[in-house]
Amino acid sequence: MKKFIIANWKMNPQTLAEAKRIFNATKLGVKNIRNIEVVICPPFVCLDNLQQATGNLKLGAQNCFFEEKGAFTGEISPLILKDLGVEYVILGHSERRRIFNEDDEIINKKIKLVLKEKLKPIFCIGENQKQKNQEKTFEVLKKQVLKGLTGVSRKLVKNLIIAYEPVWAIGSGKSCQSSYAQTVNIFLKKIISQKYGRKTAQTTPILYGGSVNSENVLPYFQEAGMVGVLVGGASLNTKEFIKIIKTVSKA
Ligand code: PGA
């Protein structure tokens, strides 16, 4: 299966010039990489500019709205994302859930529209520290997955990507142990298999995200069996991000 390395720039950088600089430096650094799908998810307002020359890089968005058009001030339609060369859309990120009160129903509506428009959702799920302490990880993940995928047909689900992002590992420097990530990976495959059959479970990419860097990235592939990573902070540091990609590419 193809490997994925997804950069989530979040609300960074603060100028278009800097966005272009990071993008172009990354593009140059990965120009000979063929075995990894490297996706950059910049702020919406950079997309038009960056789509001009993407090289090996693919473009993703960090969110979108669940309607195609209309009176929704401040929201972004998946249709205009498609028009701007976007292929992937991060949905259900824990920052969207926590800060912007996005619940499973809202995320489900977004996933359904994004899949209908033939974009690829990177559907983020993950337990927070309290839920982990209470040993509720599996319960939380199962609910997020099943509610997020309610009404999603087997035909549409083939474009889905799942990202396991434990909330306690995001931006904390406390990355998840690969053995823990492996257990979650197996659990997620089981849920997908129960809902969509074994074949879909085998072909749905499952990614890890949360404090990934060039030192800790390999075990997520080699031990946890993940097929990709979602990288926040380290994706803005071009040298480090390229190192992550090359480390995975060579392994
Ligand atoms: P981090 O963010 O790599 O900075 O922990 C990951 C994410 O939020 O997707």
Side-chain angles (χ1 to χ4, degrees), residues 170-186:
I170 295 177
S172 65
K174 270 197 301 181
S175 62
C176 175
Q177 280 187 338
S178 56
S179 55
Y180 190 83
Q182 182 192 27
T183 312
V184 169
N185 187 356
I186 293 166

Side-chain angles (χ1 to χ4, degrees), residues 8 10 93 165 169-171 210-212 230-233:
N8 177 10
K10 311 194 181 187
H93 191 282
E165 294 212 299
I170 295 177
S211 295
V212 171
L230 196 51
V231 187

Side-chain angles (χ1 to χ4, degrees), residues 141-171:
L141 296 177
K142 185 170 182 184
K143 179 170 161 279
Q144 288 176 342
V145 171
L146 294 181
K147 290 205 162 186
L149 297 180
T150 299
V152 174
S153 69
R154 189 176 301 182
K155 188 165 155 258
L156 283 182
V157 85
K158 70 178 194 310
N159 272 338
L160 176 81
I161 295 168
I162 297 181
Y164 170 54
E165 294 212 299
V167 182
W168 47 269
I170 295 177

Side-chain angles (χ1 to χ4, degrees), residues 34-57:
R34 296 276 173 266
N35 57 348
I36 301 176
E37 181 94 332
V38 181
V39 183
I40 308 288
C41 305
F44 291 126
V45 289
C46 301
L47 287 167
D48 185 31
N49 210 289
L50 300 181
Q51 72 155 329
Q52 311 300 337
T54 50
N56 256 351
L57 301 173

Side-chain angles (χ1 to χ4, degrees), residues 154 157-158 192-193 196-205:
R154 189 176 301 182
V157 85
K158 70 178 194 310
I192 298 295
S193 176
Y196 294 106
R198 210 181 319 146
K199 190 157 166 272
T200 304
Q202 279 163 356
T203 52
T204 302

